[in-house]
Every structure is written in structure tokens, then in C-alpha cells.
Amino acid sequence: MEDSEIVSRFVECGVNLHPEVLAEIKRSPNREELIDRLIDLARQASFSVITPDKLRSLEAGSQEEGELSSCSGGSPGAVVLPRRRRRLSEEYDSALRIKREKDITKKSYCQGSIESFVSYFNNRFERLAKLLKSRSALKESVAIELVKSTRYTGEVKLIGMVSDIRTSRKGNLILELEDPTGVIPVLIRSQDRELIEQAREVTRDEVIGVAGYMPSGFEMVLANELFFPDVPLRREPRKSEEPVAIALISDVHVGSTQFMENTFVRFLRWLSGEVGTPRQRELASRVKYLVIGGDLVDGVGIYPEQKDELVIKDIHQQYAHFSRLIERVPEHIEIVITPGNHDAARQAEPQPAIEEEFAPMLYEDPRVHMVGNPCYATVHGVELVSYHGRSLDDIIASVPGLSYSSPARAMRVLLRKRHLSPIYGGRVPLAPELFDYLLMEEPPDILHMGHVHTTQVENYRGTVVVNSGTFQEQTSFQRKMNIHPTPGRVPIIDLQNMRTTIMRFG
Ligand code: D5M
Ligand code: FE
Ligand code: ZN
């Protein structure tokens, strides 16, 4: 057996040999057996180089902790790696299940008629009301019609969709609550500071619960308590048993003059294990999934005068360029791609996947999953919801105290509503499908959005709430709007412990 043959047996398994160890193997009468045993032991102990010392400890059967050295490195004097090390995430099978039943792609029944809006909102109401009714505090909630027709007085609990919000002359807040049986005003007194504070988060078209009082001869409920569907308190988040991680990005905006190609390439090189400290490379080696949450390209004709801010003016060419960049993502990483408002897909939400005609190369790539917006998936048992985040514009505009600089707070508000895009008639066009695809029936373990171009991560009641930022520098429009993006910051979630690392490439 040639030296190089022995070395490559080890190298194929991600292990380097010190020249003295090589000599020792050659001297051994049971060479084959020794090689197999050493490879096994080295992998178990995560050694990347077998030095004479390590050989002795392996032979002695000890399992000391091995330090992972960097991929291209190796200790001085070691036989140099002719091939790359296998990455940690390559050792584990993919465990990604995209919930296609919750994806609008290829099954839009939307006709846009009045009747379809009625059935769309009925679907939303019924499913959110069911979530609210499962809470003990709302078990005895009653239909609005019953409260009105019986001239009911006393304590009352209701569940309804908010059809209107207004402030009275005296500064009280009035929520118009609607269920399939009727409509009733709910009054929140201006003196009730705590309740008013809570009620500021209420938006039109969301479904809430109210506990209150009906004074006799009044056709109005005086609210004492408000209930959002929310996620349960102190939920134990699900975790992966395998040491794998997920990288979340969005808003690449290829084609824009502001697209930071060098920064994006640095991210790709890190994913490939080419750059970074040993620790950062170790994290890269865990990444098995990459989710791209929309705005892959800048698109064409998205806003007035956009032409002046495009380096690639043809949308097919924008996707071709994006696809060529994505080809550089290591082969073993699975990629999930959802559309955003700059992409070639229907603009009304829920959005079907980016059309194949515009991005054929992405459809040809077997590790790329082209899905709709939103996307619901399970990754190694962890529930993931990925939504581009256009509704953040409406939420930030309508809830006092929210801002573009703190998107995770706005995302938390949506999580409490268990709805990704509740407001109808705002900036987000909603398609009245038969089923409300934007409703989060299950509390997610990871809620991922983009759109606002600012990276931020928070934990809310066990859910990792992540905005994945952008690779686009501030545009002139954003300057006018006083929006300050944080390009090149990528959140990576280790699915084994649900810890997030924000990698900076900008
Ligand atoms: O959105 C990028 C950022 O610009 C995001 O923070 C929202 C903001 N934006 C986009 N369009 C508007 C409008 N029409 N009004 C206010 N703010 C807006 P992107 O989807 O990448 O263009
Ligand atoms: Fe964007
Ligand atoms: Zn966007």
C-alpha cells in the first residue's frame, strides 16, 4: 500500500495523519485493521489530525475531547489535506418537511368576489375563535346575537373580529366586535390605563376575546379584560437531536445598484468553510439549511423611477445572476426559497412560489425548494414559519410605539395575534382564499421574516423571533423614510440548542 493510499483513506473520512503516525501504520502487521480502527476512533473523538500523542491515547482507548482545527489548516508537520473535511452537517440526513398543504402554490381558488371575502373572513374567525375558546377564561363566551337579542345585563365574554376602532369624544376607545351573528361596540375607558395600553395593540380584522360588563339598557360592553390568541406561556421549545443549524436570510435584491455583492459572496464563502475563525467555521459546518425569505431580486417596475437604481434591468437576468450566486452554496445544504414583494409572483398574499418561467435555474437545482409565502415547515422536529414580512409596514404604521428599527417587536405583536398579515385594506393586498393561509394554527418555534432590512432576534415565550435583514445598502427611498438597514448580518440558529449567532459579513 502506497503512502498516498493510506493518507487518502483517512482524508476521505476527514482525518489527517502526522508523518510519524503514517510510519507507524506502515510498520504494523495488521495494517488494514489498524486503519479502520483509527478512523473509527478519530471520528468518535472528532480529531482532525492524528498526532503520535493522539495515537497513543486512541490505542489506550481514552475518549479525550479533540479540538476541531480549521478546514484548510492542519497542524505543522501533518500530511497536508488534498481533499476537504466532511462537514458535521453532512453526517446527518435531511429532516425538512415543508407543509405543502399550507402552501398556496398551484391551488389558489381566489375569485375576488364579495362572497369569497365573506368566506375568507369566516375561515379566519372560526379558526382563531377556536384557539381563543380553548382558553379557560373564554370557555363561556357567547354569540353576539344572544347578548343583543336577550337584552342581557351583567358579566359577559365575547369572541369577535375587530371591524372598526375609533376614539370617542371623551377619549375612550371603542372597538367594534363582530362574529357571524352580529356586531357590538366594546368600550375601553380612558381611565383604565393598563387596558388602554393593551388595546393600542389591537388592529382591524384580528380576532380577540373580551371579558366585560353589560349595563342594563346599554347596547355596549364595558371591557375589563382583553385576550389575544397569543402563544402559550412557558412553552418548552422543540429542539433537534442532531447537531445541525439553519441560516436565515432575505432581501438580497440582486439587480439593485445597492446590492452588496461582495458581502453576499463573503457569506457564501463562509458557508463553504473558506473563511472565518475555527469557531465560525465549525458553525458553518453545522449549517444544513438555508431559508431565503423573499426579495431575491430587486425586480422591475416595483416603484417609480426604479430604473435609475438598477444595474441589471431585466428580471430574467436578475434571477440568472441570483441563481449563479446560489450555485456556490455547498451541495449538502438544502435551500428553501419564498417570494417577497419584489419577486416575480402574485403580489396578493398568500403568494404562490416565484414563477418557474422567471427562475428556471432555481427549479432545476434539486436542493432548492421553491415554495409560497408564507411557508410552514418542520426541520428536525422544530416548527418553522417563514413569511416575507410585508404586513410589518401596516403593523408599524398602526400600532403606536412600533418602529422599523425594532422589527422583532412588531413580529411579536403578530405572533400574539397568531396571524401573519391581519389588516385588510392597508398596504398589503390580501387574496380572499377559501382557507386563511396566513393564520398560525401551531405556535412556531422559529418565526422568520424579512422585508424591513434590519436584523434582529428576540425570544418571545419560547419562540425565536427573527428578522433576517438584507444584503442591500440603504436606498434613496429608505433615506427619505428614515429607514436605516443593517446589511450583511445573518442569523444562524443552532437547532440542537436553539441558540442564535448573528454572523456579520458587511
Ligand atoms: O422594503 C424595504 C424597506 O422599505 C422596508 O423597511 C419597508 C420599506 N418600504 C417599502 N415600501 C414602502 C412603502 N411604500 N412605504 C413605506 N415603506 C416602505 P422592500 O420590500 O425591500 O422595498
Ligand atoms: Fe426587501
Ligand atoms: Zn420586501
Side-chain angles (χ1 to χ4, degrees):
M1 200 186 254
E2 297 272 332
D3 287 7
S4 63
E5 248 183 281
I6 299 176
V7 170
S8 56
R9 285 276 300 280
F10 282 83
V11 163
E12 272 164 21
C13 302
V15 183
N16 278 340
L17 287 184
H18 191 282
E20 272 181 50
V21 176
L22 177 62
E24 210 155 326
I25 291 171
K26 279 165 64 185
R27 281 197 296 272
S28 163
N30 302 321
R31 206 182 283 170
E32 283 295 337
E33 200 190 301
L34 179 62
I35 292 173
D36 286 343
R37 194 156 51 89
L38 284 178
I39 288 175
D40 259 12
L41 290 168
R43 283 173 119 189
Q44 276 170 27
S46 319
F47 289 156
S48 57
V49 180
I50 304 181
T51 57
D53 279 349
K54 295 222 166 111
L55 175 69
R56 272 182 288 283
S57 68
L58 285 178
E59 295 267 38
S62 83
Q63 289 282 313
E64 73 181 61
E65 278 273 309
E67 255 184 47
L68 269 179
S69 70
S70 58
C71 312
S72 57
S75 67
V79 178
V80 180
L81 255 184
R83 284 176 57 174
R84 65 169 181 78
R85 256 177 74 75
R86 266 175 81 80
R87 299 167 181 98
L88 199 52
S89 55
E90 285 177 77
E91 308 284 334
Y92 300 93
D93 288 337
S94 162
L96 166 71
R97 188 177 85 78
I98 291 165
K99 300 181 185 175
R100 297 277 175 184
E101 69 279 11
K102 286 197 173 184
D103 190 316
I104 187 65
T105 308
K106 296 211 169 88
K107 46 180 186 295
S108 170
Y109 298 109
C110 166
Q111 291 160 351
S113 61
I114 299 286
E115 297 82 54
S116 51
F117 275 103
V118 172
S119 54
Y120 169 68
F121 283 114
N122 273 343
N123 181 270
R124 179 188 295 190
F125 173 79
E126 273 160 27
R127 287 164 62 210
L128 285 174
K130 194 169 157 210
L131 278 182
L132 282 161
K133 221 163 183 155
S134 68
R135 316 243 306 242
S136 54
L138 289 169
K139 282 234 155 48
E140 320 90 78
S141 61
V142 293
I144 291 174
E145 181 187 43
L146 190 82
V147 177
K148 290 176 87 169
S149 63
T150 57
R151 300 189 167 271
Y152 188 98
T153 60
E155 299 209 347
V156 67
K157 285 173 177 177
L158 300 170
I159 293 172
M161 187 175 282
V162 179
S163 54
D164 189 34
I165 305 173
R166 53 183 193 269
T167 310
S168 75
R169 264 170 289 138
K170 292 180 191 152
N172 299 320
L173 203 63
I174 298 163
L175 308 177
E176 200 84 52
L177 215 60
E178 184 175 350
D179 75 4
T181 70
V183 188
I184 197 164
V186 173
L187 185 94
I188 295 153
R189 284 151 293 196
S190 60
Q191 313 93 288
D192 200 339
R193 289 272 146 231
E194 219 174 290
L195 204 59
I196 283 274
E197 206 46 52
Q198 246 193 318
R200 287 198 197 290
E201 233 182 80
V202 176
T203 58
R204 262 188 302 118
D205 310 316
E206 72 167 303
V207 179
I208 59 167
V210 172
Y213 188 80
M214 287 282 286
S216 70
F218 243 61
E219 284 234 332
M220 192 179 250
V221 176
L222 305 181
N224 291 325
E225 231 181 313
L226 295 180
F227 301 89
F228 294 97
D230 217 322
V231 291
L233 260 172
R234 286 186 294 276
R235 192 169 47 87
E236 196 52 47
R238 284 155 283 216
K239 289 176 184 166
S240 162
E241 293 190 347
E242 294 80 26
V244 292
I246 187 166
L248 304 170
I249 65 168
S250 61
D251 301 272
V252 188
H253 289 271
V254 167
S256 160
T257 52
Q258 305 308 102
F259 168 48
M260 299 163 79
E261 181 145 355
N262 292 339
T263 304
F264 193 65
V265 167
R266 217 169 296 135
F267 162 63
L268 295 172
R269 294 189 61 208
W270 171 73
L271 268 188
S272 307
E274 291 168 26
V275 292
T277 63
R279 230 181 124 130
Q280 291 166 339
R281 290 179 200 224
E282 204 272 338
L283 181 61
S285 82
R286 285 176 186 247
V287 176
K288 196 169 176 63
Y289 306 95
L290 169 65
V291 180
I292 310 176
D295 285 3
L296 280 53
V297 299
D298 209 50
V300 172
I302 304 287
Y303 57 87
E305 311 302 323
Q306 189 192 16
K307 260 207 211 97
D308 305 337
E309 299 194 21
L310 290 179
V311 273
I312 308 174
K313 296 186 197 303
D314 175 273
I315 188 141
H316 290 88
Q317 290 308 318
Q318 291 180 358
Y319 281 111
H321 192 75
F322 177 86
S323 306
R324 280 192 293 273
L325 287 165
I326 289 306
E327 274 177 5
R328 297 173 63 169
V329 173
E331 205 52 44
H332 68 282
I333 295 183
E334 279 198 74
I335 306 169
V336 177
I337 295 183
T338 71
N341 52 307
H342 285 251
D343 286 300
R346 163 176 101 175
Q347 287 297 295
E349 294 181 0
Q351 287 183 281
I354 294 168
E355 289 171 38
E356 188 168 357
E357 184 206 327
F358 292 94
M361 283 163 77
L362 295 175
Y363 276 87
E364 281 158 19
D365 192 333
R367 69 217 157 111
V368 173
H369 305 266
M370 298 296 283
V371 299
N373 169 40
C375 165
Y376 298 84
T378 312
V379 203
H380 294 258
V382 172
E383 294 286 323
L384 166 76
V385 175
S386 189
Y387 164 67
H388 179 62
R390 198 170 181 185
S391 69
L392 292 172
D393 289 333
D394 285 327
I395 283 290
I396 290 169
S398 65
V399 175
L402 294 181
S403 72
Y404 280 103
S405 59
S406 201
R409 280 194 56 210
M411 290 170 65
R412 215 159 60 187
V413 170
L414 291 169
L415 190 53
R416 277 202 282 271
K417 302 183 192 311
R418 290 285 276 273
H419 204 284
L420 296 165
S421 192
I423 302 172
Y424 175 74
R427 287 199 207 128
V428 183
L430 285 183
E433 300 293 344
L434 298 173
F435 179 83
D436 189 350
Y437 291 88
L438 295 150
L439 192 160
M440 289 175 272
E441 212 118 46
E442 296 285 326
D445 300 305
I446 301 173
L447 177 60
H448 169 217
M449 294 188 199
H451 183 62
V452 294
H453 295 204
T454 298
T455 298
Q456 197 180 30
V457 180
E458 267 186 23
N459 192 301
Y460 175 68
R461 296 188 168 191
T463 299
V464 185
V465 175
V466 189
N467 200 288
S468 54
T470 184
F471 286 92
Q472 186 187 36
E473 247 166 330
Q474 192 184 47
T475 62
S476 54
F477 173 79
Q478 289 161 356
R479 198 168 319 120
K480 267 184 249 147
M481 299 285 299
N482 209 19
I483 292 171
H484 299 277
T486 60
R489 296 187 197 172
V490 179
I492 315 290
I493 306 175
D494 184 331
L495 297 175
Q496 205 174 24
N497 55 25
M498 297 303 275
R499 276 196 214 120
T500 308
T501 305
I502 297 178
M503 291 289 301
R504 289 183 183 223
F505 302 97

